Amino acid sequence: MSNQTLIKILAASFLLSFATSGIGQEISIDKDTDLLSQPQVRIDFRLKGDAHISGFQLDVPYDPATQTPNLDNCLAGLPKSHQGEFAICNALPDKGIVRLVVMDLGRNRALPLGQTLGFITFDLGKGASGSAAPAVENVLLAGPDGKPSIVTADEVFEVQVQ
Amino acid sequence: MKMFNLNSRLARRATATIALGLLLGAQTAMACTVDNWTANSNSLTPGSVIPGSPTAVSRYSGFCAMEVAPATTAWVQDDSPGGIDRIRARFYVRNGLSSGFSVIYRGFSTTDGTGTLVTVFLNAAGTVTLVDASTGTQVQQTSATEWTSIEIDWSQGASDGFIALSVNGQNPAEQTGLSNAGSGLQSVRLGNLNAATGVLGFDAYESRRTTEIGRLCVGDADGNGEIRFFDVTQIFEEVSSGGNVLAPGQPDVDENGEVRFLDVAAAFELVSTAVDCP
């Protein structure tokens, strides 16, 4: 079997798998798919519960050698109150993190609960595996006065990896 | 750390450190003094930036600092060295010199201001020069900011004395192999020791016998040792309150002598690029 034929078969297999997996399902990363297209992992950010969270800071560690972050929608779900100069989603390959910072300086209005505030996708290159799916670290939450919230990240911050 | 902050004197001479601590109190009731120094020239201005405090001066860290009026000889003196042959000292100076140079720090073999062993000069262009008096050996570095951190290391020896200078955290400029043995260091003075023209501010003096001190973490406005988005909020609070709510750490991110909205933006930049404290 030629390499070209192999690639065609693998491509069909991958596309079928993707079509049936649906949004919200974990994508299985097969090493062979590296030949075809970039497999992805998606991380959604949202708040749950009923706390007044006015802002947050967090890091998403990744391996710059095997993962490429797409930040186009990182802040896409933010309300207008939190859009602007003090909302940023920054890929820092030298530190191996994506840093998100969202603030509502001076007003500290509450972020919406239960809706996706944004998401990051990572294109996984050669050498990546399913276990390389990014996590979220160093989550800091600001309360109604802009100072550290009394609630913990575990209580209110929800991260979904797809 | 010997500060220009409060009446309280917390002298801790553990190991080789001559650190005088800072006790933070309620901002509104705080008076800034230089009482925790051994002596002073009585012509300097300790003061905070808090409205209602005796005098408002620019500070680098915390709530207080010291300022010296133009063309005035004014200093504080520390007799803690007490005859040592090596000292490391770090302080911040706000350079408001309009011309010429000032002697801003000097170490003596006595406690009466005689017997100079080591001197730090600052000129109006921001050049800092550390001079070993006995050999005339000197090293230099330059600062481009108004608030400048200066860390010196001076040591005596028969042929192994040395001097080192680091300005704003640069790699130290050093001279080694000095033959500068002699009487030990008894005291130091900090201030405008030669009535140079221009206003000079001082803050965050700390001295030790041997270990490196390092810079304070600029942008760590809440003083917790990290740069986080809460520091941005802290600086914004100081700016938006017109200075009524002061940041207890280092809010003057651009080190220009004022805490303004540009410092808010600069702090946000530090956070968003994950800059760590040194």
PDB file of all heavy atoms in Angstrom, chain B residues 18-56:
ATOM      1  N   ILE B  18      21.605  43.240  59.821  1.00  0.00           N
ATOM      2  CA  ILE B  18      21.201  44.371  60.644  1.00  0.00           C
ATOM      3  C   ILE B  18      19.925  44.921  60.058  1.00  0.00           C
ATOM      4  O   ILE B  18      19.872  45.949  59.430  1.00  0.00           O
ATOM      5  CB  ILE B  18      22.285  45.461  60.731  1.00  0.00           C
ATOM      6  CG1 ILE B  18      22.741  45.876  59.340  1.00  0.00           C
ATOM      7  CG2 ILE B  18      23.435  45.002  61.559  1.00  0.00           C
ATOM      8  CD1 ILE B  18      23.529  47.162  59.346  1.00  0.00           C
ATOM      9  N   ALA B  19      18.898  44.188  60.271  1.00  0.00           N
ATOM     10  CA  ALA B  19      17.625  44.552  59.666  1.00  0.00           C
ATOM     11  C   ALA B  19      16.714  45.186  60.700  1.00  0.00           C
ATOM     12  O   ALA B  19      16.560  44.684  61.798  1.00  0.00           O
ATOM     13  CB  ALA B  19      16.970  43.314  59.083  1.00  0.00           C
ATOM     14  N   LEU B  20      16.157  46.293  60.331  1.00  0.00           N
ATOM     15  CA  LEU B  20      15.153  46.910  61.174  1.00  0.00           C
ATOM     16  C   LEU B  20      13.833  46.798  60.444  1.00  0.00           C
ATOM     17  O   LEU B  20      13.686  47.249  59.337  1.00  0.00           O
ATOM     18  CB  LEU B  20      15.489  48.373  61.444  1.00  0.00           C
ATOM     19  CG  LEU B  20      16.782  48.569  62.221  1.00  0.00           C
ATOM     20  CD1 LEU B  20      17.006  50.039  62.474  1.00  0.00           C
ATOM     21  CD2 LEU B  20      16.734  47.814  63.528  1.00  0.00           C
ATOM     22  N   GLY B  21      12.909  46.184  61.088  1.00  0.00           N
ATOM     23  CA  GLY B  21      11.678  45.828  60.396  1.00  0.00           C
ATOM     24  C   GLY B  21      10.697  46.959  60.292  1.00  0.00           C
ATOM     25  O   GLY B  21      10.801  47.998  60.924  1.00  0.00           O
ATOM     26  N   LEU B  22       9.703  46.713  59.479  1.00  0.00           N
ATOM     27  CA  LEU B  22       8.627  47.660  59.239  1.00  0.00           C
ATOM     28  C   LEU B  22       7.378  47.108  59.861  1.00  0.00           C
ATOM     29  O   LEU B  22       7.010  45.969  59.668  1.00  0.00           O
ATOM     30  CB  LEU B  22       8.429  47.817  57.734  1.00  0.00           C
ATOM     31  CG  LEU B  22       7.118  48.444  57.276  1.00  0.00           C
ATOM     32  CD1 LEU B  22       7.094  49.895  57.682  1.00  0.00           C
ATOM     33  CD2 LEU B  22       6.977  48.313  55.780  1.00  0.00           C
ATOM     34  N   LEU B  23       6.737  47.918  60.635  1.00  0.00           N
ATOM     35  CA  LEU B  23       5.467  47.537  61.216  1.00  0.00           C
ATOM     36  C   LEU B  23       4.397  48.394  60.574  1.00  0.00           C
ATOM     37  O   LEU B  23       4.418  49.608  60.665  1.00  0.00           O
ATOM     38  CB  LEU B  23       5.476  47.762  62.729  1.00  0.00           C
ATOM     39  CG  LEU B  23       4.203  47.434  63.479  1.00  0.00           C
ATOM     40  CD1 LEU B  23       3.914  45.940  63.395  1.00  0.00           C
ATOM     41  CD2 LEU B  23       4.311  47.864  64.924  1.00  0.00           C
ATOM     42  N   LEU B  24       3.486  47.766  59.907  1.00  0.00           N
ATOM     43  CA  LEU B  24       2.450  48.511  59.214  1.00  0.00           C
ATOM     44  C   LEU B  24       1.299  48.789  60.159  1.00  0.00           C
ATOM     45  O   LEU B  24       0.823  47.913  60.854  1.00  0.00           O
ATOM     46  CB  LEU B  24       1.948  47.723  58.010  1.00  0.00           C
ATOM     47  CG  LEU B  24       2.996  47.428  56.954  1.00  0.00           C
ATOM     48  CD1 LEU B  24       2.390  46.620  55.833  1.00  0.00           C
ATOM     49  CD2 LEU B  24       3.566  48.726  56.406  1.00  0.00           C
ATOM     50  N   GLY B  25       0.833  49.985  60.160  1.00  0.00           N
ATOM     51  CA  GLY B  25      -0.287  50.353  60.999  1.00  0.00           C
ATOM     52  C   GLY B  25      -1.416  50.878  60.164  1.00  0.00           C
ATOM     53  O   GLY B  25      -1.408  50.796  58.946  1.00  0.00           O
ATOM     54  N   ALA B  26      -2.412  51.382  60.815  1.00  0.00           N
ATOM     55  CA  ALA B  26      -3.525  51.973  60.088  1.00  0.00           C
ATOM     56  C   ALA B  26      -3.024  53.170  59.308  1.00  0.00           C
ATOM     57  O   ALA B  26      -2.317  54.022  59.830  1.00  0.00           O
ATOM     58  CB  ALA B  26      -4.601  52.413  61.065  1.00  0.00           C
ATOM     59  N   GLN B  27      -3.371  53.218  58.041  1.00  0.00           N
ATOM     60  CA  GLN B  27      -2.823  54.255  57.180  1.00  0.00           C
ATOM     61  C   GLN B  27      -3.139  55.657  57.673  1.00  0.00           C
ATOM     62  O   GLN B  27      -2.324  56.539  57.642  1.00  0.00           O
ATOM     63  CB  GLN B  27      -3.374  54.092  55.771  1.00  0.00           C
ATOM     64  CG  GLN B  27      -2.918  52.820  55.096  1.00  0.00           C
ATOM     65  CD  GLN B  27      -3.452  52.724  53.691  1.00  0.00           C
ATOM     66  OE1 GLN B  27      -3.766  53.736  53.089  1.00  0.00           O
ATOM     67  NE2 GLN B  27      -3.566  51.526  53.166  1.00  0.00           N
ATOM     68  N   THR B  28      -4.344  55.834  58.117  1.00  0.00           N
ATOM     69  CA  THR B  28      -4.786  57.187  58.441  1.00  0.00           C
ATOM     70  C   THR B  28      -4.143  57.731  59.707  1.00  0.00           C
ATOM     71  O   THR B  28      -4.085  58.925  59.904  1.00  0.00           O
ATOM     72  CB  THR B  28      -6.308  57.217  58.606  1.00  0.00           C
ATOM     73  OG1 THR B  28      -6.675  56.198  59.530  1.00  0.00           O
ATOM     74  CG2 THR B  28      -6.994  56.979  57.281  1.00  0.00           C
ATOM     75  N   ALA B  29      -3.669  56.823  60.556  1.00  0.00           N
ATOM     76  CA  ALA B  29      -3.138  57.291  61.830  1.00  0.00           C
ATOM     77  C   ALA B  29      -1.620  57.253  61.873  1.00  0.00           C
ATOM     78  O   ALA B  29      -1.033  57.466  62.917  1.00  0.00           O
ATOM     79  CB  ALA B  29      -3.699  56.430  62.956  1.00  0.00           C
ATOM     80  N   MET B  30      -1.022  57.043  60.752  1.00  0.00           N
ATOM     81  CA  MET B  30       0.404  56.784  60.770  1.00  0.00           C
ATOM     82  C   MET B  30       1.217  58.053  60.571  1.00  0.00           C
ATOM     83  O   MET B  30       0.906  58.885  59.726  1.00  0.00           O
ATOM     84  CB  MET B  30       0.749  55.807  59.656  1.00  0.00           C
ATOM     85  CG  MET B  30       2.168  55.333  59.726  1.00  0.00           C
ATOM     86  SD  MET B  30       2.425  54.085  58.479  1.00  0.00           S
ATOM     87  CE  MET B  30       2.072  55.002  57.015  1.00  0.00           C
ATOM     88  N   ALA B  31       2.240  58.163  61.357  1.00  0.00           N
ATOM     89  CA  ALA B  31       3.190  59.251  61.162  1.00  0.00           C
ATOM     90  C   ALA B  31       4.519  58.653  60.766  1.00  0.00           C
ATOM     91  O   ALA B  31       4.921  57.628  61.285  1.00  0.00           O
ATOM     92  CB  ALA B  31       3.334  60.043  62.451  1.00  0.00           C
ATOM     93  N   CYS B  32       5.165  59.291  59.855  1.00  0.00           N
ATOM     94  CA  CYS B  32       6.444  58.777  59.380  1.00  0.00           C
ATOM     95  C   CYS B  32       7.581  59.462  60.126  1.00  0.00           C
ATOM     96  O   CYS B  32       7.571  60.680  60.285  1.00  0.00           O
ATOM     97  CB  CYS B  32       6.578  59.037  57.887  1.00  0.00           C
ATOM     98  SG  CYS B  32       5.284  58.256  56.921  1.00  0.00           S
ATOM     99  N   THR B  33       8.531  58.686  60.552  1.00  0.00           N
ATOM    100  CA  THR B  33       9.658  59.246  61.273  1.00  0.00           C
ATOM    101  C   THR B  33      10.959  58.583  60.795  1.00  0.00           C
ATOM    102  O   THR B  33      10.921  57.610  60.049  1.00  0.00           O
ATOM    103  CB  THR B  33       9.551  59.000  62.789  1.00  0.00           C
ATOM    104  OG1 THR B  33       9.920  57.649  63.058  1.00  0.00           O
ATOM    105  CG2 THR B  33       8.145  59.267  63.303  1.00  0.00           C
ATOM    106  N   VAL B  34      12.048  59.118  61.282  1.00  0.00           N
ATOM    107  CA  VAL B  34      13.341  58.463  61.050  1.00  0.00           C
ATOM    108  C   VAL B  34      13.932  58.052  62.396  1.00  0.00           C
ATOM    109  O   VAL B  34      15.142  57.904  62.533  1.00  0.00           O
ATOM    110  CB  VAL B  34      14.317  59.386  60.283  1.00  0.00           C
ATOM    111  CG1 VAL B  34      13.859  59.561  58.852  1.00  0.00           C
ATOM    112  CG2 VAL B  34      14.473  60.719  60.987  1.00  0.00           C
ATOM    113  N   ASP B  35      13.058  57.854  63.357  1.00  0.00           N
ATOM    114  CA  ASP B  35      13.523  57.557  64.708  1.00  0.00           C
ATOM    115  C   ASP B  35      14.227  56.218  64.832  1.00  0.00           C
ATOM    116  O   ASP B  35      14.909  55.969  65.834  1.00  0.00           O
ATOM    117  CB  ASP B  35      12.340  57.577  65.690  1.00  0.00           C
ATOM    118  CG  ASP B  35      11.792  58.981  65.878  1.00  0.00           C
ATOM    119  OD1 ASP B  35      12.442  59.941  65.405  1.00  0.00           O
ATOM    120  OD2 ASP B  35      10.717  59.123  66.491  1.00  0.00           O
ATOM    121  N   ASN B  36      14.013  55.353  63.864  1.00  0.00           N
ATOM    122  CA  ASN B  36      14.674  54.056  63.977  1.00  0.00           C
ATOM    123  C   ASN B  36      16.122  54.078  63.492  1.00  0.00           C
ATOM    124  O   ASN B  36      16.793  53.061  63.491  1.00  0.00           O
ATOM    125  CB  ASN B  36      13.879  52.962  63.259  1.00  0.00           C
ATOM    126  CG  ASN B  36      13.623  53.293  61.810  1.00  0.00           C
ATOM    127  OD1 ASN B  36      13.923  54.396  61.379  1.00  0.00           O
ATOM    128  ND2 ASN B  36      13.083  52.357  61.066  1.00  0.00           N
ATOM    129  N   TRP B  37      16.578  55.244  63.099  1.00  0.00           N
ATOM    130  CA  TRP B  37      18.005  55.398  62.801  1.00  0.00           C
ATOM    131  C   TRP B  37      18.725  55.875  64.054  1.00  0.00           C
ATOM    132  O   TRP B  37      18.125  56.494  64.928  1.00  0.00           O
ATOM    133  CB  TRP B  37      18.209  56.400  61.671  1.00  0.00           C
ATOM    134  CG  TRP B  37      17.712  55.896  60.351  1.00  0.00           C
ATOM    135  CD1 TRP B  37      16.406  55.865  59.939  1.00  0.00           C
ATOM    136  CD2 TRP B  37      18.467  55.336  59.291  1.00  0.00           C
ATOM    137  NE1 TRP B  37      16.327  55.316  58.688  1.00  0.00           N
ATOM    138  CE2 TRP B  37      17.580  54.982  58.262  1.00  0.00           C
ATOM    139  CE3 TRP B  37      19.835  55.102  59.102  1.00  0.00           C
ATOM    140  CZ2 TRP B  37      17.986  54.401  57.069  1.00  0.00           C
ATOM    141  CZ3 TRP B  37      20.256  54.532  57.919  1.00  0.00           C
ATOM    142  CH2 TRP B  37      19.343  54.183  56.917  1.00  0.00           C
ATOM    143  N   THR B  38      20.027  55.623  64.103  1.00  0.00           N
ATOM    144  CA  THR B  38      20.798  56.015  65.282  1.00  0.00           C
ATOM    145  C   THR B  38      20.808  57.527  65.455  1.00  0.00           C
ATOM    146  O   THR B  38      20.706  58.050  66.558  1.00  0.00           O
ATOM    147  CB  THR B  38      22.258  55.518  65.144  1.00  0.00           C
ATOM    148  OG1 THR B  38      22.243  54.126  64.856  1.00  0.00           O
ATOM    149  CG2 THR B  38      23.032  55.777  66.419  1.00  0.00           C
ATOM    150  N   ALA B  39      20.945  58.232  64.352  1.00  0.00           N
ATOM    151  CA  ALA B  39      21.033  59.689  64.415  1.00  0.00           C
ATOM    152  C   ALA B  39      20.592  60.258  63.082  1.00  0.00           C
ATOM    153  O   ALA B  39      20.482  59.536  62.091  1.00  0.00           O
ATOM    154  CB  ALA B  39      22.473  60.121  64.706  1.00  0.00           C
ATOM    155  N   ASN B  40      20.314  61.553  63.093  1.00  0.00           N
ATOM    156  CA  ASN B  40      20.022  62.222  61.824  1.00  0.00           C
ATOM    157  C   ASN B  40      20.413  63.676  61.927  1.00  0.00           C
ATOM    158  O   ASN B  40      20.687  64.196  63.002  1.00  0.00           O
ATOM    159  CB  ASN B  40      18.564  62.055  61.423  1.00  0.00           C
ATOM    160  CG  ASN B  40      17.620  62.737  62.364  1.00  0.00           C
ATOM    161  OD1 ASN B  40      17.511  63.955  62.348  1.00  0.00           O
ATOM    162  ND2 ASN B  40      16.938  61.974  63.214  1.00  0.00           N
ATOM    163  N   SER B  41      20.438  64.312  60.786  1.00  0.00           N
ATOM    164  CA  SER B  41      20.924  65.686  60.726  1.00  0.00           C
ATOM    165  C   SER B  41      19.849  66.696  61.088  1.00  0.00           C
ATOM    166  O   SER B  41      20.105  67.883  61.105  1.00  0.00           O
ATOM    167  CB  SER B  41      21.434  65.985  59.320  1.00  0.00           C
ATOM    168  OG  SER B  41      20.367  65.842  58.406  1.00  0.00           O
ATOM    169  N   ASN B  42      18.647  66.228  61.348  1.00  0.00           N
ATOM    170  CA  ASN B  42      17.525  67.094  61.705  1.00  0.00           C
ATOM    171  C   ASN B  42      17.134  68.076  60.616  1.00  0.00           C
ATOM    172  O   ASN B  42      16.475  69.060  60.882  1.00  0.00           O
ATOM    173  CB  ASN B  42      17.810  67.866  62.994  1.00  0.00           C
ATOM    174  CG  ASN B  42      17.818  66.946  64.200  1.00  0.00           C
ATOM    175  OD1 ASN B  42      16.975  66.052  64.299  1.00  0.00           O
ATOM    176  ND2 ASN B  42      18.765  67.137  65.081  1.00  0.00           N
ATOM    177  N   SER B  43      17.566  67.838  59.422  1.00  0.00           N
ATOM    178  CA  SER B  43      17.173  68.748  58.348  1.00  0.00           C
ATOM    179  C   SER B  43      16.574  67.985  57.183  1.00  0.00           C
ATOM    180  O   SER B  43      16.564  68.454  56.067  1.00  0.00           O
ATOM    181  CB  SER B  43      18.380  69.566  57.876  1.00  0.00           C
ATOM    182  OG  SER B  43      19.409  68.708  57.459  1.00  0.00           O
ATOM    183  N   LEU B  44      16.077  66.807  57.452  1.00  0.00           N
ATOM    184  CA  LEU B  44      15.450  66.032  56.398  1.00  0.00           C
ATOM    185  C   LEU B  44      13.954  65.911  56.681  1.00  0.00           C
ATOM    186  O   LEU B  44      13.465  66.329  57.707  1.00  0.00           O
ATOM    187  CB  LEU B  44      16.100  64.656  56.283  1.00  0.00           C
ATOM    188  CG  LEU B  44      16.452  63.931  57.582  1.00  0.00           C
ATOM    189  CD1 LEU B  44      15.212  63.377  58.207  1.00  0.00           C
ATOM    190  CD2 LEU B  44      17.467  62.866  57.296  1.00  0.00           C
ATOM    191  N   THR B  45      13.268  65.351  55.726  1.00  0.00           N
ATOM    192  CA  THR B  45      11.814  65.340  55.790  1.00  0.00           C
ATOM    193  C   THR B  45      11.282  63.917  55.682  1.00  0.00           C
ATOM    194  O   THR B  45      11.115  63.410  54.583  1.00  0.00           O
ATOM    195  CB  THR B  45      11.216  66.173  54.639  1.00  0.00           C
ATOM    196  OG1 THR B  45      11.805  67.468  54.687  1.00  0.00           O
ATOM    197  CG2 THR B  45       9.702  66.272  54.765  1.00  0.00           C
ATOM    198  N   PRO B  46      11.046  63.276  56.801  1.00  0.00           N
ATOM    199  CA  PRO B  46      10.361  61.997  56.705  1.00  0.00           C
ATOM    200  C   PRO B  46       8.893  62.247  56.462  1.00  0.00           C
ATOM    201  O   PRO B  46       8.298  63.138  57.067  1.00  0.00           O
ATOM    202  CB  PRO B  46      10.580  61.369  58.079  1.00  0.00           C
ATOM    203  CG  PRO B  46      10.732  62.526  58.994  1.00  0.00           C
ATOM    204  CD  PRO B  46      11.331  63.650  58.183  1.00  0.00           C
ATOM    205  N   GLY B  47       8.300  61.513  55.587  1.00  0.00           N
ATOM    206  CA  GLY B  47       6.891  61.781  55.339  1.00  0.00           C
ATOM    207  C   GLY B  47       6.248  60.750  54.470  1.00  0.00           C
ATOM    208  O   GLY B  47       6.900  60.085  53.681  1.00  0.00           O
ATOM    209  N   SER B  48       4.970  60.619  54.606  1.00  0.00           N
ATOM    210  CA  SER B  48       4.217  59.687  53.793  1.00  0.00           C
ATOM    211  C   SER B  48       3.471  60.450  52.715  1.00  0.00           C
ATOM    212  O   SER B  48       3.523  61.666  52.649  1.00  0.00           O
ATOM    213  CB  SER B  48       3.215  58.932  54.651  1.00  0.00           C
ATOM    214  OG  SER B  48       2.162  59.795  54.986  1.00  0.00           O
ATOM    215  N   VAL B  49       2.782  59.713  51.899  1.00  0.00           N
ATOM    216  CA  VAL B  49       1.959  60.358  50.881  1.00  0.00           C
ATOM    217  C   VAL B  49       0.495  60.396  51.305  1.00  0.00           C
ATOM    218  O   VAL B  49      -0.374  60.686  50.530  1.00  0.00           O
ATOM    219  CB  VAL B  49       2.075  59.621  49.534  1.00  0.00           C
ATOM    220  CG1 VAL B  49       3.462  59.759  48.998  1.00  0.00           C
ATOM    221  CG2 VAL B  49       1.697  58.163  49.679  1.00  0.00           C
ATOM    222  N   ILE B  50       0.245  60.103  52.557  1.00  0.00           N
ATOM    223  CA  ILE B  50      -1.132  60.080  53.040  1.00  0.00           C
ATOM    224  C   ILE B  50      -1.610  61.493  53.342  1.00  0.00           C
ATOM    225  O   ILE B  50      -0.958  62.225  54.079  1.00  0.00           O
ATOM    226  CB  ILE B  50      -1.240  59.231  54.316  1.00  0.00           C
ATOM    227  CG1 ILE B  50      -0.700  57.834  54.049  1.00  0.00           C
ATOM    228  CG2 ILE B  50      -2.677  59.183  54.811  1.00  0.00           C
ATOM    229  CD1 ILE B  50      -0.529  57.015  55.284  1.00  0.00           C
ATOM    230  N   PRO B  51      -2.732  61.888  52.806  1.00  0.00           N
ATOM    231  CA  PRO B  51      -3.267  63.206  53.140  1.00  0.00           C
ATOM    232  C   PRO B  51      -3.416  63.342  54.650  1.00  0.00           C
ATOM    233  O   PRO B  51      -3.900  62.437  55.314  1.00  0.00           O
ATOM    234  CB  PRO B  51      -4.618  63.218  52.441  1.00  0.00           C
ATOM    235  CG  PRO B  51      -4.505  62.226  51.352  1.00  0.00           C
ATOM    236  CD  PRO B  51      -3.592  61.159  51.869  1.00  0.00           C
ATOM    237  N   GLY B  52      -3.017  64.435  55.184  1.00  0.00           N
ATOM    238  CA  GLY B  52      -3.135  64.663  56.609  1.00  0.00           C
ATOM    239  C   GLY B  52      -1.885  64.293  57.382  1.00  0.00           C
ATOM    240  O   GLY B  52      -1.706  64.682  58.515  1.00  0.00           O
ATOM    241  N   SER B  53      -1.011  63.536  56.739  1.00  0.00           N
ATOM    242  CA  SER B  53       0.256  63.218  57.371  1.00  0.00           C
ATOM    243  C   SER B  53       1.110  64.486  57.374  1.00  0.00           C
ATOM    244  O   SER B  53       0.879  65.390  56.578  1.00  0.00           O
ATOM    245  CB  SER B  53       0.938  62.120  56.576  1.00  0.00           C
ATOM    246  OG  SER B  53       2.060  61.645  57.261  1.00  0.00           O
ATOM    247  N   PRO B  54       2.071  64.553  58.270  1.00  0.00           N
ATOM    248  CA  PRO B  54       2.826  65.810  58.380  1.00  0.00           C
ATOM    249  C   PRO B  54       3.372  66.322  57.057  1.00  0.00           C
ATOM    250  O   PRO B  54       3.311  67.506  56.767  1.00  0.00           O
ATOM    251  CB  PRO B  54       3.949  65.436  59.338  1.00  0.00           C
ATOM    252  CG  PRO B  54       3.397  64.332  60.149  1.00  0.00           C
ATOM    253  CD  PRO B  54       2.493  63.566  59.246  1.00  0.00           C
ATOM    254  N   THR B  55       3.894  65.448  56.286  1.00  0.00           N
ATOM    255  CA  THR B  55       4.476  65.879  55.022  1.00  0.00           C
ATOM    256  C   THR B  55       4.231  64.814  53.968  1.00  0.00           C
ATOM    257  O   THR B  55       4.289  63.637  54.263  1.00  0.00           O
ATOM    258  CB  THR B  55       5.994  66.071  55.166  1.00  0.00           C
ATOM    259  OG1 THR B  55       6.226  66.954  56.242  1.00  0.00           O
ATOM    260  CG2 THR B  55       6.592  66.641  53.898  1.00  0.00           C
ATOM    261  N   ALA B  56       3.923  65.222  52.787  1.00  0.00           N
ATOM    262  CA  ALA B  56       3.723  64.261  51.709  1.00  0.00           C
ATOM    263  C   ALA B  56       4.974  64.196  50.855  1.00  0.00           C
ATOM    264  O   ALA B  56       5.419  65.196  50.310  1.00  0.00           O
ATOM    265  CB  ALA B  56       2.534  64.666  50.865  1.00  0.00           C
TER     266      ALA B  56
END
